[in-house]
Amino acid sequence: MALLDVKNLGISFGGLRAVDGLNMTIEQGALVGLIGPNGAGKTTVFNLLTGVYRPTDGTILLDGEELIGKSPSQICQTGVARTFQNIRLFSQMSVLDNVKAALHNQVKYGLQGSLFHTPGYRKKEKAIDERAREVLRVFELEQFADYKASNLPYGKQRKLEIARALATEPKLLLLDEPAAGMNPQETAELMATIEFIRNQFHVTILLIEHDMKLVAGICEYLYVLNFGTELANGLPEEVLNDPEVITAYLGE
Amino acid sequence: MKKYGKQILGCVAAIAVYVAVTAAVNMGVMSRQMMSLIVPVCMNIMLAVSLCMVVGFLGELSLGHAAFMSIGAYAGALVLKSGLPTVAALPLAVVTGGACAAVLGLIVGIPVLRLRGDYLAITTLAFGEIIKSVFNAATPITGGAGGLKRIPPVTTYRNFTFVYVLMLIVIVLVSNLVNSRHGRAICAIRDNYIAAEAIGIKVSLFKTMAFVLAAFMAGMAGVVYAGNIGILRPGNFDYNTSIEILVMVVLGGMGNITGSIIAAALLTLLPELLRGLSNYRMLVYAIVLIAMMLFSNSPLRRMLAEKRNMRQADKIQ
Ligand SMILES: Nc1ncnc2c1ncn2[C@@H]1O[C@H](COP(=O)(O)OP(=O)(O)OP(=O)(O)O)[C@@H](O)[C@H]1O
Ligand SMILES: [Mg+2]
């Protein structure tokens, strides 16, 4: 059974059909790209998958479990985590606390622990601290642990956002233009990191990206959206040479 | 290590203040007016620190803190007047006052905190006025506009220890909360609720939790007020009182517990400290307020903050 199974997904904003009749199957452990021109509906698909928007039609199954109707926090607990196109960090909190916050449902304790700092609290907090630093280490951010998140340079903020998503231990990780605004060297590093986490954490990844080199370099499969509908899907070399896809990107 | 250093410093400060105040009272070096302000200082610190949790950490504007205080005050006063011996009545009153305020906080919070935007400010403002009218109207229980009289004076400066411990409890609980799973969730919601939801935090639940906890603490402060002043009138808890508490939090640097404590103490004592200036008292009070306001958002402070950022930025290269 596929990890993610999307059938006939659609949503309208007023008169605009932002996504229409989308079908998508992602196998366990795959690294899949979602591409398409500006305004094609890619981010909207992510918002549908994570419960930010409720679709007007369709089904979304994760590991056989229906996601539609669940709240974003429930969907996260079911195993979907994401990053945002416009970075959304907890800007006033430290880098470390950003990741610790994401361990909210991984290491739990009750309100009395928080208020009275009970022995149980200490034990759990120690585990949280270790786990959070471990995740930061993967992204080479541990030396910035005590920085305020908003003080990180742009490229590192993007990395922190991925680290935070990964900390929730998702089955499916959604990355919305992870390389946006990065220089070529940062982009190359990021590609390596994405491949590394896929292998290391056995997480399935769906990423939106405009950088075709990145897409062709690491994605095993591509879906192409145009005006909310699926234009093509297949292996990168097929899809990127498809005349229809080229037209959609370059215009008539 | 650094974290423990802060805790030790806090303990030392707490003990030092306690010893100093007790000694000053016993040696009779304090004026009557000053002594009468000891409990109000503690009470205002409780109010400011609890409101700091809502405004500074949760990032929601509440203009009804005085209303929660009034609920605690009336509920606590009724317990105090019940005739139980003080040893039993006082703790019971504090818990009852806090619980009543928390229940009202829950009733107000659940519907309003689901909404995004500044609805809480408007609702709590209206809630304060409604509560005031209710206390005015419920004459058989509250004494109406004439006031609820003859409340046993159980939280005067002679009972400083009890009030001080209660204040410390509030400070410790709020500081503890900040460094915890729940505190991080609350701060995450403040910084970006969409991202907070996306990492699995139940936003409405944690908003309500912070709000209700703050209401509980305000209710306890209300009981302290009742046992200190001896008579409760609905007019004592108006919109201005809520604003005064808010001013303490804002001057304290929003989300800075130590700052809230200092601002609360200073603003409570200031009118008395300026007594010698008699005619110019209000003028100086206003000037100090403005000065504090300017400093807390001053170019100087921003420059200091910037410098710190720069130092951090340098290291990244
Ligand atoms: N909440 C909303 N209300 C109304 N229209 C929306 C909303 N969200 C998205 N849209 C519209 O849906 C369409 C698809 O937007 P979306 O952000 O998904 O595009 P995208 O493929 O991510 O584009 P880009 O590459 O620029 O990020 C756009 O026309 C957008 O204006
Ligand atoms: Mg987009």
Side-chain angles (χ1 to χ4, degrees), chain A residues 92 104-105 109 114-115 121, chain B residues 176 179 181-182 184 191 200:
Chain A
Q92 303 301 306
H104 185 75
N105 292 313
Y109 53 84
S114 291
L115 288 175
Y121 157 91
Chain B
N176 275 357
N179 282 310
R181 172 174 176 261
H182 296 76
R184 282 190 295 267
D191 281 359

Side-chain angles (χ1 to χ4, degrees), chain A residues 73 76 88 90-93 100-101 104-105 108-111 114-117 121 125 144 147 151 153 164, chain B residues 173 176-177 179-182 184-185 188 190-192 194-201 206 309 312 315-316:
Chain A
S73 63
C76 171
R88 289 178 176 275
F90 306 130
S91 49
Q92 303 301 306
M93 294 166 69
K100 282 182 172 181
H104 185 75
N105 292 313
K108 288 191 178 189
Y109 53 84
L111 183 60
S114 291
L115 288 175
F116 302 107
H117 285 194
Y121 157 91
E125 275 295 310
F144 309 112
Y147 283 43
N151 286 347
R164 185 181 67 186
Chain B
L173 290 186
N176 275 357
L177 189 75
N179 282 310
S180 75
R181 172 174 176 261
H182 296 76
R184 282 190 295 267
R190 169 198 67 197
D191 281 359
N192 200 311
I194 293 178
E197 269 178 334
I199 57 167
I201 293 170
F206 281 86
N309 292 354
Q312 297 198 342
K315 264 195 265 176
I316 294 174

Side-chain angles (χ1 to χ4, degrees), chain A residues 46-113:
Chain A
F46 273 21
N47 286 333
L48 290 168
L49 292 176
T50 53
V52 176
Y53 298 150
R54 209 191 164 104
T56 36
D57 13 29
T59 58
I60 303 170
L61 298 182
L62 182 82
D63 248 349
E65 195 175 340
E66 178 62 69
L67 295 187
I68 294 171
K70 288 190 190 224
S71 69
S73 63
Q74 285 170 327
I75 290 178
C76 171
Q77 280 181 268
T78 315
V80 184
R82 70 176 290 184
T83 63
F84 296 87
Q85 186 169 352
N86 314 313
I87 303 179
R88 289 178 176 275
L89 288 173
F90 306 130
S91 49
Q92 303 301 306
M93 294 166 69
S94 74
V95 168
L96 185 65
D97 278 349
N98 266 266
V99 179
K100 282 182 172 181
L103 295 168
H104 185 75
N105 292 313
Q106 304 317 119
V107 189
K108 288 191 178 189
Y109 53 84
L111 183 60
Q112 73 282 2

Side-chain angles (χ1 to χ4, degrees), chain A residues 213-235:
Chain A
K213 241 176 72 193
L214 191 150
V215 170
I218 65 174
C219 292
E220 294 145 358
Y221 201 85
L222 290 183
Y223 283 88
V224 188
L225 271 187
N226 195 22
F227 297 116
T229 56
E230 188 186 307
L231 187 64
N233 70 70
L235 301 173

